[in-house]
Amino acid sequence: MIRAAAALPLAAALLIAAAPKADPTRNLYLQLIDQARADGRPRAAIAYLDDFDRRYPGDVQARVLRVNSLLDLNDVSGAEAAAASLPGGPESSAVRGHLLCARGRWAEAAALYRQAIGASPADALLRNALGYALLRAGETAPAVEALRGALDLAPADRAIRNNLLLALTVSGQRAEADAILRQIRDGGEQESLRRHLAAEAARIIRK
């Protein structure tokens, strides 16, 4: 999955969990954890989570965040161990999908993302994750459709746009990809992204 013009781990931008409780301190902690992950500081996120767990033991949303933070660190085994205590159901389907993606089990991950979308059909990030998993599983047509839907829901999200561009490139739909690329006003950014897309598409096709 690509964000802007650089590759990032799949788990970096997705969180599916129970709705937060009306507790300002709890919510502040969760915001700090989310911000640490967004800033590329997963070790800080885990430190916040360790403190959070002492105050709010057993919190499902914190468990999901811990799994994602460990995936940010490429600690797949640790993430799998942390996910073992998650409850079943659509709330944890997405994070289990991340774990399967980290192991290269793309088709199985796509099935879990579909379950999660069933519970949150307007979640653009879920549709983005589904589209990328389908692309890596070799299902280019449904991947493009999933990513088009994700971009419709979040038209300003560059990561989703770039994943759609990647899927279009892999599937040979270069005219549509070029039309989207021409909307990027910065010529340097456009050219850099073209090169990155070509390299990433070649890597996926080779596999």
Side-chain angles (χ1 to χ4, degrees):
M1 178 180 293
I2 57 176
R3 177 178 294 276
L8 284 180
L10 179 64
L14 189 60
L15 170 64
I16 299 299
K21 301 173 184 176
D23 182 332
T25 302
R26 174 184 180 276
N27 291 342
L28 177 60
Y29 261 103
L30 294 175
Q31 289 170 16
L32 286 170
I33 296 161
D34 273 333
Q35 190 60 54
R37 290 190 63 230
D39 292 343
R41 298 182 293 117
R43 292 172 183 82
I46 290 171
Y48 288 136
L49 280 162
D50 290 342
D51 196 20
F52 182 94
D53 286 346
R54 286 194 290 271
R55 295 169 180 261
Y56 303 96
D59 187 277
V60 174
Q61 190 169 353
R63 293 181 195 177
V64 171
L65 280 165
R66 185 176 294 277
V67 174
N68 284 336
S69 297
L70 289 165
L71 284 172
D72 292 341
L73 287 168
N74 294 318
D75 183 359
V76 180
S77 296
E80 288 171 338
S85 63
L86 286 173
E91 293 82 4
S92 59
S93 292
V95 75
R96 295 187 191 282
H98 302 342
L99 292 168
L100 290 169
C101 286
R103 294 298 188 188
R105 295 162 63 181
W106 303 104
E108 294 170 74
L112 286 175
Y113 290 139
R114 285 194 171 102
Q115 289 180 18
I117 289 169
S120 301
D123 191 316
L125 294 179
L126 278 177
R127 292 184 182 275
N128 181 53
L130 172 62
Y132 187 77
L134 288 168
L135 179 64
R136 296 303 305 272
E139 300 184 47
T140 54
V144 167
E145 186 57 30
L147 289 163
R148 283 177 178 148
L151 193 61
D152 281 352
L153 287 165
D157 191 303
R158 292 186 176 187
I160 295 174
R161 179 201 67 188
N162 292 352
N163 282 330
L164 174 57
L165 285 167
L166 178 61
L168 290 168
T169 303
V170 170
S171 64
Q173 300 180 62
R174 298 188 182 277
E176 184 177 348
D178 284 341
I180 296 171
L181 280 164
R182 285 196 296 270
Q183 296 173 14
I184 301 173
R185 296 181 181 275
D186 185 324
E189 179 187 353
Q190 183 184 135
E191 186 56 34
S192 175
L193 183 53
R194 284 182 187 276
R195 291 195 300 269
H196 185 73
L197 286 166
E200 186 71 5
R203 184 179 69 84
I204 291 174
I205 291 168
R206 282 197 300 271
K207 291 186 177 182

